[in-house]
Structure formats: structure tokens, C-alpha cells
Amino acid sequence: MAEISKGYESRDVEKKWYAAWQAAHAFAGKVTPGKEPYSIVIPPPNVTGVLTIGHVLNNTLQDMLIRRARLEGKSALWIPGTDHAGIATQTVVERELRKEKIRRRDLGREKFLEKVWAWRHEKGGIILEQLRRLGASCDWDRTQFTMDPHYSKAVLSVFVDLFAKGNIYRGKRMVNWCPVSLTALSDEEVIMKPVTGSMYHIRYELVNFPGRYVEVKTTRPETIPGDVAIAVHPQDSRYAELLGQKVRRPLGPTAEIPLIADTAVDREFGTGALKITPAHDKADFEVGQRHHLPIIDVLSADGTLNELAGPELAGLDRFAGRKKAAELLKASGALVAEEVYANNVGYSERADVPIEPRLTWQWWLRYPRVEEAKAAVRAGHIQFHPERWSKVYLHWLENIQDWCISRQLWWGHRIPVWYRQGLDKEKLTEADLRDPTKVHVSLDGPADPENWVQEDDVLDTWASSWLWPFATMGWPDEAAMKQAGLDCFYPTTTLVTGPDIIFFWVARMIMAGLEYMRPGESLDRRIPFKHVYFTGIIRDAQGRKMSKSLGNSPDPLDLIAKYGADGLRFGIVSLAPQGQDIRFQEDRIESGKNFCNKLWNACRFRQMSGPAGDNSKLTTIVARLDPARFDADDHAILDRLLATSREVNRCFYEFEFSAAAQALYGFFWNDFCDWYVEVSKAKLQEPDTKANCLAIQDLVLRQTLLLLHPIIPFITEELWSLLGYGAPGTFIEETRIENASHLASTSLAHGLVLDPAAIASVERLKNFALQARVLKAEHNVASRRDTSFFVTTTDADWAVLSANLSKLLRMAGAATVVRREQVDGAPAAVTQLGTLYLDLASTVDVGAEKVRLQKEVDALARHIAGTEARLSNKAFTDKAPPAVIEGARKQLAEQQAKHAEFERLLKSLG
RNA sequence: GGACUCUUAGCUCAGUUGGUUAGAGCACUUCCUUGACAUGGAAGGGGUCACAGGUUCGAGUCCUGUAGAGUCCA
């Protein structure tokens, strides 16, 4: 066995074990008869992405679940992969090309796509490589990419199928248009942001009443050339007599536009009159439709004003145009007022510029299986953790809108629709769309491609990732599905993701799964996952979101270099309570590293303490235990081990990961290292108790490594190997973790019964040692180890003390503890095992000592008064449960005894 | 405007069906290089649990309202 070094050096250990795991294909998800499956599909990071601290949290949690599943003997599968991320990737590559002064449109579609693929081959694997550095135990042989040929086939088949079913249609509608990316966006890709701008009051002169005006308020004067009407509420008496009149458009090409009535107008807003610009506002568009108004689109696709806006504005960017329009209106006297105005403006999520409502032809999807998607969550087939997100999910489904699935991009799945050569796409009716002589929709394209023109648009990225849980398992190819084990691994067990993509991804995956998996079978067989764990969002110390532009996101690779992957993992997990946003604190990561070092050194102590026994199995270690030589500490540490195993088990079951980390931290550091290892130092001196003590250490360390392994895989694998807990050449995950009851029954089989009385006595011993140390500290001899103590106590308690004397001396840092009938004038503390006196050779400051004792007496008197008041309250004794009342009585007795003892001590000082 | 979350020690946060004297990590003070670990050990200071009501024998915990912070949806 190699000797364990003084400090844990993570770098080489991580490198060594990850290489060994990969070489052995240790993470391969295999279908094994009789083994329960446990599967996860990774939320595919953008292929352009680099690892962020958010990924660290998300993937550490998935890795914990998968590794724990392996330890529990399940057949575990974690499928990794990346998302082609249409807009994001296209933008990145375009930006790269721009550095070489190359523009996308100059290259042309095919050449540009070649560049994107080249970029993807060069840089697209970075994030997956980074996940390996984190220790992610994905089945890398199954790595998926949403633009892989088989995946594309799945995406396009779904389009063809949903088109055939009538769920997909083409429509000219108002969409969210991004003037930078030059594509439509779905509602989910638009972020509302509060913006402070100007509200302009504009007057429109009535044609038949020169000098008389109708006033409207608008934030967008540059769209006035697109105005086709002024609308008021039909019951608005202010305008009743003017209905049907015409006003002059104050900007752009001269025109007279009607004053119309529509119930959509809010009488309370401004003057109650609204300008109607159907091309540039969704509500206006609808008003225009109802009144058969023309549509004047004054904006080009890139957000500049076009010739319809008039010569003064044409060619200007929309924001410059707004300024110019205001100036022109001011000059003409139409602008009567301008005020500062705050409102919400929709921004493009990717390009971060205001979107434009724009009337375009797009492909739309009526979602399938909406009702079943609600039912699956309501009935608990899919459980959300924390549960409250199900409300958000259901609310979205209740108000679901058709999904704009086409994007005017090149990078993505090109829509498998071909139009007959020469057909005017702008004029296609719904009937034309279903006419195979005019429009062809299929996976393979028409047999006579020369007569057809393929649709230019590609599909929204989410229209591929919504198939992720089954398209990654070979669907729709039967042979591939069999090979991937879809029958075994679908539905997946748990999805770990952020609540920010609950609509983008989670809800859509559920609907896709219900539509395509195992048609005709029950809901629970068709859903894509059983549990969804929503992580919190990681913020910086000021509570801001991590973002590239703020530069407030620490680089996980730097953190790994500094604290080790395990330190980072432990830190981030212990930082992340269920479902709350997290403020990132580097000191918690540091404490993760420190914990690893503590673990390392405890194992080092074990190794230095004595030869390794047969550690290869739990049973061989348990067989080395000698219950006849057990002392109270042995009972107590095994009791705590069982309790901690139980707690960790519960935490995994209830998705309380930080609680699991904290339970293990507390157990290992406080119970094992601070107490058991310290008392071991005395026990290891005695030939009688040494072997048993070493066996207990082995048992605790072995189980702790198993419990910790999912969180900190590298160091536990290394220590497991160094201490010989597994057969040579095997990995820790080839061992089955014993749960608490199994551990207990194994112990029982070897004649080991934990003694509650002994366990309780350890608490008294700990308190005794604590009181001794406090006395020393208060009398400035904390660091001396040659102090003597006296104790006045009962025979029974003295029996406990003397049985544990050598350990107590070590823990208290004392040379002797001697029993006396009576001690006078020495500093004293009252413990559950008797009154403890510090034997000070020097004179005691009687005055200070009296002050100290008086404080104790006063505090106890307060507590006694409180407890007595409670017990004398008839309502309490009548209604509180007996156990609580009994507890209060016991507490009172203890307080009174202690109080009496302190009073006696006080008197003895005179 | 609607929904949800949060407000506990200087900081960041736990606190699981209401039940002894409210905890952790970090920071802080004092002491200790004792043969696993100074990435460590020992002791300590620090909280009217946002506020106001209510339910209850008993409220950090349940209910109502108020204030502030945040997220999502319109």
C-alpha cells in the first residue's frame, strides 16, 4: 500500500482516475437484466459554450445522482451531448468571419454552413472536455449532437408527421422580429425589460375642421407614416360626433386617415384616442383586420426606415428615425408635448436589442398533447422539485399559444418543405399548403428536385431539443433504439435543469414524449422523465446574475486548479439549497477543499495507526470488530454512522443535496475527526483495544467514502484504493453501498448490538471534557497539558469517568482527574458526571470566580423560572403531549440540581 | 395588473408535519506549531428570527395584513 502524503494534491489524482475510468468505459450505460435502470439525459449545453459555474452546479448534481445510482447497484446511464443552438452559434461564427471581413451573405448558404461545421469540429467539444475535468461520469461513447444525421432525421420526421396531422401550418402573422439576427423569435425568446424613453403627444388635424385636432400619445413617432387610422372607444362621448371624420397624418407621405371606433381602445389612456399602425403593433394589427385597414410597413427587416416612411426618414435606423421624427413633428407644430415615460419593451434574448412586431410568413405549431401534459404533472407521474414549479408550468399550459417554429437562419434543421417551381409563396392558401402538386413535405424531398424549391427557413433550436429524451436513444430507428436500450432507459429517471427553461424545454419535452413514445400506452410509460429537479440560479456576491458582459462569472477551471474538482463540487453542492437562488461565495469552495484535506488526513492517520486488516468487504471488516471490547465511543460513532447513512439516503430521495453534503461534513469532521479519532489516540496505545479501534476506523472510513463518493469522486476513489477497501483493479463504484438498515443487519449478524446507554454516556463525557477545557481557558492555562482536576461525584458516575479516564485526560488536556470527597476554593464547573474542579497551584482570584459563578446561578434561575411557569400552567399540562411535559419536568430537575450545586460552590468561596 | 419566492449572527445561508437555552460556514477576539491535518486544534463574542395583528398551552415555523428585495407571466 502506497503511503499517503501529508496534504491532498488534487491535480494528479484527478487526471489519473479520469483516465482510468475512461479507459475501462466505467460509465457505460448497459441494459442488465434484473438491474433497475436509472437514467439521465444531460441538458445539452450550447455547442459554442464554455463551462460556467451554473454548469458546475447542474452537472455536479446529475453526477451525484448517477454515481449514487451505480453504488446502489442500478443500471445507470447518463447521456451527454451538445445543442447546435441556432442563433447563438450562427452569431458566433458570423462574428469570427467578420474579423476576416467576410459576410455571411457573400459566402452563400453552403459555404457558410461549411464554416460553421468546421468551427464546430474545432471548438465544439470544449465544454464536454471541461465536464470531464469536473468528473462528470457521462457515457461518452453515446455523445449526442442535435445536428447529427440520425438526430436530424428524428427532428424532420416529427415535422413531417405533425404537418400531416395538421398541427403545423404556415401563416402570415405578427411575430417577434429581431432586427439584428434578422429572424423571427418565439414569445419565449423575448425578454421584457423596463426602459425609460419619451412619450410624445401628437396632434392630428381634422380635415373638415381646420384648426381642430385630435391628440394621441405615442412612444414611437417614427411609425406615424404607417398610421392608417385613429381609433377611439365607441362609447367615448368626447369623440362621438367626430366618428367617420378624417384626420391628416402629420408625418410621412400625405394622407387622410379615418377616425374609427373599436372596443379595444382604453378610454383611460391619454386622451382616449389611439393611432393605429397595423404593421408595427400586435394590437393595432388586430384592429386593422377588424376594420379592413391597409397595412403600411415602414420598416425594413434590419430595423431601418424604408421609403414608405417618406424621404426625410428613409434609410435611418429606427432609433435615429425616432429622434428625427420628433424634430420634424416639433417643427410642424404637431408635437405638442414630450414627457419622460417608463414602460416595458421586448428585447431579443440573444441579440439584446428591442424586437419589432413584424408581419411575416412563418411556420407555426399547435402543440400536441397539451391536456395530457397537464395531467401527467397533476397526477404526479412527473414530479417537480421543488413542487411549486408545477404551478408555473400549468399556468403556461393553460394559456398556451401556438409556437413559431421557423427561423430565418441558415444554421439549423432546414424545414423539409418544397414549393413547386414558380409558385408565389406569399400567396399560398391553407388549401394550397395541403395540395401535393404545389407543396411537397417529406423527409427525403421530392423525386424530381429540379421542379421544386426548398424552404429557406430552419427550425427553432428548441424544435430539436424537445425530442432530446428519446432522439438521444435512437428514435425513430428501431434497430438504433434497441441498441441504445430505449426500452429500458425510457422514461428517464430525473431531469436536472434550471427553472428558466421550464417553457422552452421542460414543457415541450413532456408534450413530445407523450406524442411519440409508446403510443397507446399509459401516461407514466410515455412521459420523458419522472422527476424534474430545478436548481437555483447562481448569482454573484451582489446578487446579480452571472454574465459574460459583467465579467462576474468565475472560471470553473481556475477554481478547479485552485481547490480541486472535488473541492469545487463539494463547495457548490453545500452552497445550493433546494430551489433557491444561490449567491456564489468562493470561501465555500475553499471550505470544500479543506474538507477534502481533512478526509485525506483522517485516512492518513488510519494508515499510520496500524497495519491494514482485511478491508476488502464490509463483512470482513465487521468480522474484525470485537463487541466485547466496545467502549461507549465505539457505540456512539457507529450509531452516528448509521444515522448519517440514513440521513444521506433521505436527502437523495428528497432531492436535498446540500443537506446531504452538510450531514456528511458534520458527521465526519465533528463526530469522527474531532472526537473519535482523538479518543482513538488513547485506545491505540492499548494492545487490548487497538485492533478493534482500527476495525471501527476502517468501517467508518469505508462507509464514509461510499457516501461521499457521489459528491467528491476523485479523492474517494484514490483513498478507497490506497486503503484497500476494494479488490485491486476495481473501482469504488463496483461496490454496492450498504444502506443504514443493511449496515445494521450486517453488524447484528456478527453479534453487534448498539447500546443506547453507552451512546448517551458519550454526550456526558464530551460535556465533561468541554467543561474542563472551558475552566482551563478561563484561567489562562488552555494550552497546558499538565493540569490536574478534582471531581466530586457519585460512585456510578465515577465508574463511567474512570472507565474512560485515559481518553478523558487526552480530550481535556489534563494530567490527572482525581476523585475527592470535598474540594474548597477551586474554580469549578457543574457537569452531568459530577462537579469538576480545576486544581490551581496559583491563587485563585476569588472575586472573579464569584462573579463567574454568580452569572451561572442567575442564568439558571431565569431558566428555572421559565420552566416552572410552563409546568404550572394548567393549560400546558392539560393539552401538551405527555412526552413534552415529561421533558420539561426532567429539564426542571436538572436545572434545579445544577442551580443548587452552583449556589453551594458560591457559598464555599465565602 | 396577476403568480411565486425571499427577509434569521458582520456576510452568505440552514432551520423537514409548531415543543428544552435558534444552528452552520466564513469573518472577528484570545490561545496553541501536542506524534492525521496550521487546508489544523481549543475557547469565546455576536441574533427583540423585517414589522403589526391573529390562531395556540406553546410560533422563526401556521393564518392575515404592511414594508422592502427578487423572479416569472401579462
Side-chain angles (χ1 to χ4, degrees):
Chain A
M1 182 167 30
E3 200 175 300
I4 299 178
S5 62
K6 190 168 171 179
Y8 173 56
E9 296 296 335
S10 56
R11 212 171 135 259
D12 296 340
V13 170
E14 289 169 10
K15 219 169 154 182
K16 175 180 78 179
W17 284 112
Y18 209 92
W21 292 331
Q22 279 217 273
H25 294 271
F27 309 141
K30 293 185 198 122
V31 178
T32 314
K35 272 192 175 185
E36 189 186 331
Y38 192 103
S39 53
I40 297 179
V41 287
I42 201 169
N46 286 356
V47 70
T48 56
V50 290
L51 201 67
T52 65
I53 200 78
H55 290 122
V56 169
L57 171 62
N58 185 289
N59 288 288
T60 298
L61 296 180
Q62 292 175 71
D63 199 40
M64 279 172 67
L65 289 167
I66 277 291
R67 287 181 183 273
R68 172 87 187 187
R70 287 196 202 100
L71 287 170
E72 287 175 350
K74 292 176 186 163
S75 179
L77 168 64
W78 185 11
I79 299 180
T82 47
D83 190 306
H84 70 279
I87 298 182
T89 305
Q90 177 161 324
T91 309
V92 168
V93 176
E94 275 191 89
R95 200 181 301 140
E96 291 293 308
L97 289 174
R98 219 171 296 144
K99 287 181 192 158
E100 305 164 39
K101 302 259 186 271
I102 302 174
R103 290 186 22 191
R104 169 164 69 103
R105 296 200 184 267
D106 300 338
L107 272 182
R109 186 167 192 140
E110 268 181 43
K111 283 265 187 287
F112 177 74
L113 288 179
E114 278 171 25
K115 294 272 186 195
V116 183
W117 277 107
W119 189 92
R120 174 246 183 304
H121 285 302
E122 191 191 340
K123 301 225 175 108
I126 290 178
I127 193 161
L128 301 183
E129 206 44 58
Q130 292 175 320
L131 284 173
R132 290 178 175 92
R133 295 282 306 280
L134 185 65
S137 61
C138 304
D139 184 350
W140 298 107
D141 297 330
R142 293 185 184 233
T143 303
Q144 302 281 319
F145 179 49
T146 51
M147 287 284 279
D148 282 340
H150 71 274
Y151 201 103
S152 292
K153 192 179 159 197
V155 174
L156 300 180
S157 329
V158 163
F159 183 94
V160 171
D161 178 68
L162 288 175
F163 180 81
K165 287 172 176 161
N167 289 69
I168 288 178
Y169 60 94
R170 192 164 176 269
K172 190 170 189 180
R173 293 219 214 153
M174 276 294 192
V175 296
N176 310 298
W177 183 263
C178 174
V180 169
S181 313
L182 299 178
T183 177
L185 301 173
S186 68
D187 291 345
E188 288 71 25
E189 289 165 288
V190 175
I191 316 242
M192 299 307 286
K193 286 194 191 181
V195 169
T196 309
S198 291
M199 179 64 85
Y200 302 89
H201 299 228
I202 314 286
R203 59 183 194 180
Y204 291 59
E205 189 172 29
L206 284 149
V207 174
N208 292 333
F209 302 93
R212 217 177 140 185
Y213 300 92
V214 175
E215 194 180 310
V216 305
K217 284 165 86 171
T218 180
T219 57
R220 302 205 60 190
E222 76 278 14
T223 64
I224 289 176
D227 287 357
V228 294
I230 298 293
V232 298
H233 196 274
Q235 265 103 58
D236 193 335
S237 54
R238 288 171 292 181
Y239 300 101
E241 57 170 48
L242 295 177
L243 282 179
Q245 291 289 337
K246 293 201 163 181
V247 298
R248 285 204 182 82
R249 197 157 59 199
L251 188 66
T254 325
E256 295 175 359
I257 58 176
L259 199 72
I260 61 168
D262 194 287
T263 50
V265 177
D266 175 10
R267 271 174 284 185
E268 307 299 315
F269 181 79
T271 58
L274 204 66
K275 76 188 201 66
I276 300 299
T277 322
H280 301 294
D281 184 277
K282 206 174 171 190
D284 288 9
F285 174 73
E286 283 157 16
V287 173
Q289 292 294 100
R290 280 196 287 275
H291 296 268
H292 309 288
L293 296 168
I295 295 163
I296 304 172
D297 188 348
V298 300
L299 283 172
S300 303
D302 64 356
T304 57
L305 289 146
N306 61 29
E307 66 282 359
L308 293 177
E312 292 107 327
L313 296 180
L316 291 176
D317 175 75
R318 52 190 167 145
F319 304 110
R322 184 171 308 165
K323 259 175 106 176
K324 180 81 177 173
E327 285 165 17
L328 292 169
L329 290 162
K330 198 171 179 187
S332 72
L335 177 63
V336 294
E338 182 181 339
E339 60 184 330
V340 175
Y341 186 74
N343 68 335
N344 285 320
V345 175
Y347 272 65
S348 158
E349 189 200 24
R350 284 284 160 210
D352 198 31
V353 293
I355 56 106
E356 282 295 332
R358 189 157 193 257
L359 195 60
T360 52
W361 283 101
Q362 301 290 344
W363 290 91
W364 299 85
L365 169 67
R366 248 185 304 273
Y367 287 98
R369 309 280 169 180
V370 174
E371 289 310 312
E372 285 189 336
K374 290 185 218 165
V377 169
R378 278 208 198 100
H381 299 301
I382 299 173
Q383 289 177 35
F384 286 179
H385 309 273
E387 201 279 329
R388 63 187 153 87
W389 291 111
S390 61
K391 212 168 168 178
V392 177
Y393 166 87
L394 290 169
H395 182 258
W396 184 74
L397 283 174
E398 296 291 346
N399 299 286
I400 198 161
Q401 304 285 317
D402 288 354
W403 176 9
C404 175
I405 52 171
S406 46
R407 295 289 179 275
Q408 288 66 53
L409 303 171
W410 287 347
W411 176 241
H413 301 102
R414 193 166 176 179
I415 291 177
V417 169
W418 285 260
Y419 304 99
R420 191 80 194 176
Q421 198 74 257
L423 212 63
D424 186 354
K425 273 164 61 179
E426 300 289 303
K427 298 227 165 70
L428 281 177
T429 63
E430 181 66 16
D432 293 338
L433 213 56
R434 307 283 157 188
D435 179 348
T437 68
K438 292 179 175 162
V439 174
H440 176 97
V441 180
S442 78
L443 210 49
D444 305 317
D448 51 341
E450 65 279 7
N451 297 320
W452 300 82
V453 181
Q454 190 177 357
E455 169 66 60
D456 281 322
D457 291 356
V458 300
L459 288 168
D460 179 7
T461 301
W462 298 102
S464 51
S465 38
W466 74 323
L467 313 175
W468 191 248
F470 50 88
T472 52
M473 296 188 200
W475 189 87
D477 184 278
E478 287 293 340
M481 281 154 67
K482 195 155 194 294
Q483 203 200 339
L486 183 140
D487 198 45
C488 166
F489 292 117
Y490 189 96
T492 64
T493 315
T494 305
L495 177 76
V496 179
T497 191
D500 48 335
I501 52 175
I502 191 166
F503 313 133
F504 275 117
W505 197 44
V506 178
R508 288 166 176 169
M509 278 193 287
I510 292 171
M511 290 185 273
L514 291 170
E515 178 73 6
Y516 288 106
M517 286 294 99
R518 300 180 182 137
E521 296 190 37
S522 57
L523 276 183
D524 59 305
R525 297 263 301 150
R526 284 149 55 213
I527 53 174
F529 27 72
K530 297 170 194 160
H531 300 274
V532 184
Y533 177 81
F534 290 105
T535 64
I537 293 176
I538 301 192
R539 301 170 174 283
D540 70 3
Q542 284 100 59
R544 301 173 303 180
K545 268 192 184 179
M546 297 285 187
S547 80
K548 257 188 208 161
S549 51
L550 282 173
N552 57 353
S553 176
D555 182 347
L557 294 187
D558 291 345
L559 295 172
I560 288 174
K562 215 164 151 191
Y563 305 107
D566 288 329
L568 174 60
R569 290 169 61 117
F570 195 91
I572 202 82
V573 167
S574 64
L575 201 57
Q578 196 186 33
Q580 290 299 337
D581 285 1
I582 299 135
R583 292 204 187 199
F584 181 77
Q585 298 159 268
E586 196 163 323
D587 58 24
R588 286 294 271 267
I589 309 300
E590 188 178 356
S591 123
K593 178 193 179 176
N594 295 348
F595 181 70
C596 289
N597 194 59
K598 191 74 176 175
L599 178 65
W600 184 261
N601 275 289
C603 291
R604 180 163 178 260
F605 175 74
R606 163 62 192 92
Q607 193 185 46
M608 291 164 73
S609 298
D614 183 350
N615 280 338
S616 62
K617 283 202 230 50
L618 174 68
T619 47
T620 62
I621 296 178
V622 171
R624 282 163 46 211
L625 295 175
D626 183 357
R629 297 187 194 283
F630 266 35
D631 66 6
D633 296 306
D634 296 329
H635 283 283
I637 195 66
L638 294 185
D639 179 61
R640 289 290 302 128
L641 176 65
L642 287 174
T644 305
S645 303
R646 223 172 274 127
E647 171 67 1
V648 172
N649 198 46
R650 183 196 69 79
C651 288
F652 270 89
Y653 186 73
E654 295 180 11
F655 295 88
E656 289 183 25
F657 303 111
S658 66
Q662 280 157 20
L664 284 162
Y665 184 100
F667 165 70
F668 193 73
W669 204 304
N670 304 130
D671 295 322
F672 187 67
C673 292
D674 287 352
W675 188 260
Y676 193 82
V677 166
E678 291 307 318
V679 299
S680 290
K681 288 173 183 172
K683 289 150 71 122
L684 291 167
Q685 304 300 316
E686 308 291 326
D688 257 14
T689 49
K690 182 171 178 174
N692 182 61
C693 180
L694 289 176
I696 294 221
Q697 285 190 24
D698 278 327
L699 177 61
V700 171
L701 289 174
R702 181 184 189 277
Q703 294 309 117
T704 306
L705 290 176
L706 285 168
L707 290 169
L708 282 168
H709 177 72
I711 313 179
I712 46 175
F714 293 109
I715 188 175
T716 47
E717 185 79 87
E718 174 76 357
L719 290 169
W720 184 263
S721 148
L722 286 172
L723 292 172
Y725 292 145
T730 63
F731 296 123
I732 186 170
E733 287 183 355
E734 292 170 58
T735 306
R736 297 291 74 85
I737 194 169
E738 291 85 7
N739 62 30
S741 59
H742 186 195
L743 207 55
S745 65
T746 304
S747 305
L748 206 60
H750 286 79
L752 180 61
V753 182
L754 294 184
D755 176 3
I759 293 163
S761 77
V762 171
E763 286 313 306
R764 298 202 295 275
L765 289 167
K766 281 185 182 174
N767 181 258
F768 189 88
L770 172 71
Q771 297 292 346
R773 289 192 296 231
V774 169
L775 277 178
K776 284 173 67 183
E778 276 171 350
H779 294 88
N780 301 319
V781 289
S783 53
R784 288 177 59 176
R785 304 187 66 78
D786 60 351
T787 47
S788 296
F789 286 93
F790 301 122
V791 59
T792 54
T793 188
T794 61
D795 287 346
D797 285 343
W798 178 247
V800 174
L801 287 174
S802 52
N804 294 283
L805 202 56
S806 63
K807 295 181 295 184
L808 271 179
L809 292 176
R810 178 176 287 274
M811 298 309 289
T816 55
V817 175
V818 179
R819 188 182 184 193
R820 286 277 174 88
E821 283 305 310
Q822 193 187 338
V823 182
D824 287 322
V830 179
T831 81
Q832 291 169 303
L833 288 165
T835 302
L836 181 66
Y837 303 85
L838 178 60
D839 177 23
L840 271 188
S842 58
T843 47
V844 178
D845 181 342
V846 175
E849 186 63 9
K850 278 169 85 174
V851 169
R852 190 179 69 84
L853 291 174
Q854 190 61 53
K855 267 169 77 181
E856 294 277 5
V857 169
D858 293 346
L860 280 164
R862 278 198 305 278
H863 292 144
I864 287 168
T867 314
E868 276 175 341
R870 252 182 346 134
L871 280 166
S872 61
N873 183 348
K874 192 166 177 319
F876 174 69
T877 47
D878 283 355
K879 294 189 180 175
V884 172
I885 298 170
E886 189 45 44
R889 289 223 169 91
K890 220 171 134 188
Q891 182 195 337
L892 180 63
E894 278 166 17
Q895 287 168 340
Q896 283 169 334
K898 232 173 151 183
H899 184 259
E901 181 64 9
F902 271 113
E903 292 231 286
R904 189 186 67 73
L905 287 167
L906 199 54
K907 259 188 208 145
S908 76
L909 287 178

